[in-house]
Amino acid sequence: MPSWPRLPKARNWYRSVSDAMARETLCLLPGMMCDGRLFAPQVDALGTDHDIVIGDITGAETMAGLADGLLAQLPDRFNLAGLSMGGIVAQEMARKAPGRVMRLALLDTSFGADSDRRKAIRDDQIARARAGGLRELFLTEMKPHYLAEANSADTDLNRLFLDMAMILGPDVFARQSLALRDRPDQTGTLSGFAGPSLVLCGAEDRMCPPVIHEQMAALLPDADLVIVEGAGHITTLEAPDAVNAALAAWLARPA
């Protein structure tokens, strides 16, 4: 299974010792069936001042297992941002190790547990993916909900989404679906996280709509809420400048 590498910028290789000591780690967690390319604009914009790690959320079939694997590899203190499923894993990490997460950013995600109806849908999707139907399932039931209407015909983005999903394959789809199906509600995690938080989503996100993000921002004690106009569920690629600006402001807040 893939393990996404650190992505340093070449111009950071020759920096002073004091600069190196001041640099903080920023861990970015991709969404379901996505890889580090989901955050390419953010790595480019933020990698000058932060050591960026793209977290691997493909190797376990529970949220707890995914969180434990990431926490074992990260430094004692780090900043954490996740989109969609990545945001759900980020909440589990914050639940397990709140003192290690300096700042928390939740992008186009959710905080509740799956309903019984949604669990049944996931079970059906897992069976179809394992039977060779991942491509059709992705094209008909997942990708159509990703982008805002104005971006829906973007062939480069649509090609990228399909490429990421097919490279990861049906086994990863099954593990991630199980982790999402059985995930806990994180209401208590959000209300108990005291660090600076960012809650961001596209105004046209149909998978995790703005109302969910308003609820998350209300639960978090120290959160900024950003709604990005003209973007859907994949804000990092649909509106990279707006996302980069929001993340930069969040990272600049005292931890």
Side-chain angles (χ1 to χ4, degrees):
M1 65 193 69
S3 179
W4 301 106
R6 291 176 181 267
L7 301 172
K9 294 176 71 65
R11 61 176 175 270
N12 294 333
W13 293 351
Y14 301 99
R15 61 181 186 269
S16 69
V17 172
S18 60
D19 286 344
M21 292 177 65
R23 287 167 65 86
E24 296 175 353
T25 294
L26 170 59
C27 179
L28 301 173
L29 303 182
M32 183 180 189
M33 300 306 284
C34 293
D35 59 37
R37 288 173 286 180
L38 186 74
F39 293 115
Q42 289 69 52
V43 171
D44 187 60
L46 303 172
T48 299
D49 299 316
H50 297 82
D51 289 324
I52 297 182
V53 177
I54 305 297
D56 179 6
I57 63 166
T58 67
E61 60 184 38
T62 66
M63 286 295 160
L66 291 169
D68 287 341
L70 289 161
L71 289 167
Q73 299 176 42
L74 288 164
D76 288 342
R77 297 271 285 164
F78 55 90
N79 300 295
L80 183 60
L83 184 143
S84 194
M85 180 178 176
I88 295 172
V89 177
Q91 292 171 71
E92 179 65 10
M93 294 170 69
R95 184 188 71 81
K96 283 177 165 286
R100 293 179 60 188
V101 180
M102 300 168 64
R103 303 173 184 86
L104 178 66
L106 304 174
L107 283 56
D108 300 281
T109 188
S110 185
F111 67 100
D114 259 0
S115 65
D116 289 341
R117 177 178 176 276
R118 186 61 187 149
K119 289 179 180 180
I121 291 173
R122 291 197 195 279
D123 288 339
D124 176 68
Q125 289 178 334
I126 291 170
R128 284 187 284 146
R130 284 174 166 163
L134 176 61
R135 183 185 179 90
E136 179 183 1
L137 188 159
F138 180 82
L139 291 174
T140 59
E141 298 181 29
M142 297 177 68
K143 184 180 72 63
H145 304 292
Y146 279 3
L147 300 175
E149 184 176 355
N151 305 322
S152 61
D154 188 317
T155 54
D156 289 338
L157 283 181
N158 285 312
R159 188 180 300 114
L160 173 61
F161 298 147
L162 180 60
D163 185 59
M164 290 190 290
M166 297 312 295
I167 286 175
L168 291 172
D171 289 339
V172 169
F173 180 85
R175 286 194 293 271
Q176 291 186 331
S177 295
L178 290 170
L180 288 167
R181 185 194 69 184
D182 299 330
R183 71 185 188 270
D185 180 278
Q186 298 286 9
T187 298
T189 299
L190 297 183
S191 61
F193 183 79
S197 303
L198 170 65
V199 179
L200 179 149
C201 80
E204 299 180 44
D205 189 335
R206 289 165 287 172
M207 298 184 74
C208 300
V211 64
I212 294 176
H213 295 78
E214 293 168 0
Q215 293 167 356
M216 289 192 292
L219 286 168
L220 286 156
D222 187 13
D224 288 334
L225 174 65
V226 176
I227 307 298
V228 182
E229 296 297 329
H233 189 61
I234 313 294
T235 49
T236 53
L237 297 178
E238 290 183 83
D241 290 343
V243 173
N244 292 348
L247 288 173
W250 162 70
L251 288 165
R253 296 177 61 193

